[in-house]
Amino acid sequence: MNKNIKILLAEDDVNLGNLLSDYLKAKGYATDLAINGDEAFTLFAKGSYDLCLFDVMMPVKDGFTLAKEIRKINENIPIVFLTAKSMKEDTLQGFESGADDYISKPFSMEELLARITAVLRRSKPQAKEEEVSIFAIGNYNFDYQKRLLMIGDTTQKLTSKENDLLRLLALNQGKILERTYALKAIWGDDNYFNARSMDVYIAKLRKHLSQDERIEIMNVHGRGFRFFVHE
C-alpha cells in the first residue's frame, strides 16, 4: 500500500541508517539513504520525495540547516527529525526549522512507523513535479516529455538541459528558482564551471522565448532566477 510513497532518510550512523532503510523498505516505502546533510540535499534536488526523515546531528550539514534549505524550495514536504537530544530548546529549534514531527532516540520501529503514517495522513497530497509535463507559458506551449517548445506554427526542439531548466522555471513561475537547487538537480554539482554553463542556457531560453514580450527570466542577485509572464 506504500509503494508510491518515497522517503529521503539522512542518518550518519551507518548501522542505524541501514537498519531504518531496510525496515522502511520492508514496510513498502521506497527509501533513499544519505549519510550527511549535503548528500541528502543533493538527492533531494535530483529526486522527488513524499517525506524527509533527518537525523539532527550530522557531519557536513546538520539536520536543522538541511531542513531550512529544503523549505526554501519545497514548503510542503513533511519533515521528521530523529535526535538523541531531549532538551526543549532543541525541540523548539527543530520545529522552527520546519519540522512536522520530532522523535527522540532510542525509539521503537513501531513508534517511528506510527509517526510517519500520522504525518503523511496530515499532509495534503502534493502533485509530484515529474507528473507535470505540459505547460502553457504565455503564447507558448511547452511539452517537457517531447522536449518541444511551440508558438504558432513554429516548433523548437530543446536540448536536454534547456528542457530540464525550462521545466524548473515553469514549475516555479513567479517564485525564485534557487541557483544551487537548479544546478544540483540538472548538472549534479553547483561548482563554478556548471554555474557559468547554466547562465549560457538561461540566455538561450530567453532567446527561445523572445517571441512573447511578456515573458521574462529575471536574475535575482545572490539567489537565482525569477520566471514571469507579465499580464
Side-chain angles (χ1 to χ4, degrees), residues 22-197:
D22 290 345
Y23 176 77
L24 292 171
K25 288 175 181 176
K27 292 299 179 180
Y29 294 103
T31 305
D32 287 341
L33 173 62
I35 59 172
N36 60 58
D38 194 54
E39 182 178 312
F41 184 83
T42 298
L43 286 172
F44 187 86
K46 292 180 177 179
S48 179
Y49 296 93
D50 299 285
L51 181 138
C52 295
L53 190 60
F54 296 153
D55 184 32
V56 171
M57 301 301 293
M58 292 188 292
V60 185
K61 184 180 294 177
D62 65 82
F64 294 148
T65 302
L66 174 62
K68 288 178 180 177
E69 292 183 358
I70 281 178
R71 278 284 177 254
K72 290 179 181 178
I73 55 179
N74 188 324
E75 297 177 353
N76 300 305
I77 189 165
I79 299 175
V80 178
F81 280 126
L82 307 175
T83 181
K85 297 182 178 180
S86 58
M87 293 176 62
K88 182 182 292 185
E89 291 80 5
D90 295 311
T91 304
L92 290 175
Q93 186 180 351
F95 284 113
E96 288 171 0
S97 301
D100 292 273
D101 206 348
Y102 203 99
I103 182 169
S104 296
K105 302 174 184 177
F107 53 82
S108 69
M109 292 298 189
E110 290 76 13
E111 181 185 2
L112 175 63
L113 188 62
R115 296 288 188 94
I116 289 174
T117 302
V119 169
L120 287 170
R121 189 183 301 121
R122 289 198 303 266
S123 64
K124 298 176 74 172
Q126 301 292 321
K128 292 185 179 180
E129 288 185 355
E130 69 265 28
E131 294 173 354
V132 182
S133 60
I134 305 294
F135 301 88
I137 305 172
N139 292 328
Y140 287 86
N141 289 308
F142 169 43
D143 187 327
Y144 173 72
Q145 293 296 333
K146 295 181 180 179
R147 287 169 35 190
L148 296 178
L149 182 64
M150 298 157 282
I151 184 170
D153 296 327
T154 303
T155 299
Q156 172 75 43
K157 182 76 170 183
L158 301 177
T159 67
S160 61
K161 284 187 168 57
E162 288 172 346
N163 194 53
D164 289 341
L165 187 53
L166 182 55
R167 172 178 167 272
L168 286 184
L169 289 166
L171 286 168
N172 291 277
Q173 185 172 325
K175 300 182 290 186
I176 294 176
L177 174 62
E178 298 285 342
R179 176 179 286 270
T180 296
Y181 171 63
L183 284 167
K184 289 192 174 182
I186 299 173
W187 277 266
D189 194 296
D190 61 349
N191 62 44
Y192 176 83
F193 177 80
N194 288 338
R196 298 286 71 78
S197 177

